[in-house]
Amino acid sequence: MLLILDFTSPEKKTLKYSSVDVNSSAMLRAAEVQANLLCQFPSFVKYMLPSHVSGGFWLGFPKKFCDCHLPKHDDIVVLVDENDEESPTKYLIDKNGLSGGWRGFSIAHNLVEGDVLVFQLIQPSKFKVYIVRKNCLTEIDGAITLLNLDFRARPIKSDHDEEMKICEAKEEKYLEPPVQDINQDDKIEETMLLPNSDHDPVADQCGNDSDNGSEVLEGIRFSESRVKFKDVKDYSGFSILVDGLIIDSEVPELHIRTKYYDLCRTQNSFLHDHLLAGLNVKLSAGMITETVNIADAIRACTSSTPHEFLETWDSTLKGFECLGMNVGFLRARISKLDSLSSESKNVLASKKVELAEAKEEMRIIEEKVLKVKEVMKNVESEIEALTKKDANFELKFKALAASPW
């Protein structure tokens, strides 16, 4: 619950509560999504209240976030959805939030109270927006959950830090002080909610000059150039490049990288080439590793492999596909295997039905045979009785024939 004050009565102040479930499924899933984003791009989580998605359509941003990362004047802020469609909005410095354009974004994306949005600043005045639905577990959510990764990566130091500085924040977890709703004088909304965790998410998203950060990221380095797959002659020239970073060290198993190279070679392209910008490197590496594992499982499966396994693999790959992985060819193979298995199972089921019908017909015929045998037995008994009767009849017949006139 978020505590807010009602100033509608000049005589006294009364308390109102706006329902904000910090432990809701959407909030927890949004925390996972936020934790998987690259830490060098600052982000925050926003819980949708009625004033955000109906009526006034005003969206306030966390003040400290605005002070650190947004322009010091009114400006246009671009929102990029998960389909890379851009929506310009009007950012008001005095209000620390969005006004014009936000209403259109909210309506176009069918936002409702209880949805949670993750805003990631990918360029100056441009946010990537991840929508976590109140009542829907998306394929992306499922894929992230299945990976079960370590989400505590820290930002990578580079020249980009000068272009987009990430503020240092060492405060404890907090709720941003309420901001006056411009449409309702008696209502004050919260501007930021931070998920529960043992570490401060704000600090995780801000710069850190400690030695720990460089130790965690040892082995990850920036690439001097972008290599096209057609220029990779063999495995020795193969590197996993994501968002300008070489993340080979995040996939330490040689056999995984080798198999992944073979998969890329079958498609003549890097399967990760179109991953969404800003994804956490551990999430990217986890998807690559899981893609190899699923490919191995597909090749090793047999006709007795449970249908549920195929469904799970396809569901996981579908989530990866939503994040930009080129795994359509694996899903196509699963679909063909599933169809072939279903066809074989359908034929088998049909034959079983045919056999059952034949057995039933045999049972009916056997019942008829038993009845016929019973009739035959009765007739034989009658014939035997008549035969004995015929012997007496012959004597009587002869006696009558020879009797005196």
Side-chain angles (χ1 to χ4, degrees), residues 191-369:
T191 59
M192 185 175 182
L193 287 172
L194 298 180
N196 293 327
S197 69
D198 295 333
H199 303 281
D200 185 0
V202 177
D204 284 347
Q205 292 298 334
C206 296
N208 191 330
D209 293 330
S210 68
D211 293 336
N212 291 336
S214 60
E215 289 178 0
V216 171
L217 293 171
E218 183 179 0
I220 297 178
R221 61 191 187 279
F222 283 96
S223 173
E224 297 180 357
S225 62
R226 185 178 180 85
V227 179
K228 295 182 179 180
F229 190 82
K230 65 179 182 180
D231 297 327
V232 178
K233 302 304 180 184
D234 52 33
Y235 176 74
S236 62
F238 177 74
S239 290
I240 302 173
L241 182 65
V242 177
D243 273 349
L245 301 174
I246 298 175
I247 64 168
D248 291 8
S249 60
E250 295 298 318
V251 187
E253 297 84 358
L254 177 60
H255 71 281
I256 294 292
R257 295 200 306 274
T258 304
K259 290 180 179 180
Y260 182 63
Y261 167 70
D262 290 338
L263 286 175
C264 292
R265 194 158 51 86
T266 64
Q267 304 304 304
N268 197 30
S269 66
F270 294 106
L271 303 187
H272 59 274
D273 218 13
H274 298 290
L275 284 176
L276 296 178
L279 287 180
N280 185 289
V281 293
K282 289 187 177 293
L283 175 59
S284 302
M287 284 192 289
I288 289 171
T289 300
E290 192 64 15
T291 297
V292 171
N293 291 337
I294 292 176
D296 285 347
I298 292 173
R299 286 191 171 278
C301 70
T302 64
S303 59
S304 61
T305 300
H307 173 70
E308 291 75 14
F309 285 13
L310 297 177
E311 281 188 334
T312 299
W313 299 338
D314 185 65
S315 178
T316 303
L317 292 175
K318 185 177 181 181
F320 295 170
E321 202 168 39
C322 290
L323 291 170
M325 280 290 286
N326 176 17
V327 291
F329 68 102
L330 295 177
R331 295 190 65 202
R333 177 67 62 85
I334 291 175
S335 179
K336 289 180 180 179
L337 289 173
D338 191 33
S339 297
L340 186 61
S341 177
S342 297
E343 181 181 345
S344 175
K345 289 177 180 178
N346 290 337
V347 171
L348 181 60
S350 175
K351 292 299 180 182
K352 286 183 177 180
V353 170
E354 186 177 341
L355 178 61
E357 290 175 348
K359 287 183 177 180
E360 178 63 17
E361 187 174 351
M362 176 64 75
R363 185 187 65 80
I364 295 173
I365 292 175
E366 287 176 347
E367 286 183 355
K368 289 182 177 180
V369 169

Side-chain angles (χ1 to χ4, degrees), residues 140-190:
I140 292 179
D141 299 326
I144 292 174
T145 302
L146 284 170
L147 286 176
N148 191 24
L149 299 173
D150 174 12
F151 299 132
R152 292 296 170 189
R154 297 184 180 273
I156 300 173
K157 299 176 185 178
S158 71
D159 294 338
H160 296 293
D161 292 343
E162 295 301 319
E163 181 177 299
M164 184 186 295
K165 285 197 173 182
I166 302 172
C167 69
E168 295 186 4
K170 298 182 180 178
E171 297 85 358
E172 295 298 320
K173 291 183 291 184
Y174 68 94
L175 287 176
E176 193 76 16
V179 177
Q180 183 72 30
D181 191 312
I182 63 173
N183 298 297
Q184 304 178 46
D185 293 336
D186 63 338
K187 182 176 181 181
I188 301 176
E189 65 175 13
E190 92 293 357

Side-chain angles (χ1 to χ4, degrees), residues 79-87 105 109 127-131 276:
L79 305 181
V80 184
D81 65 15
E82 291 164 337
N83 295 320
D84 290 331
E85 294 182 2
E86 299 186 356
S87 302
F105 182 89
H109 293 82
F127 284 96
K128 184 76 174 182
V129 182
Y130 300 90
I131 301 172
L276 296 178

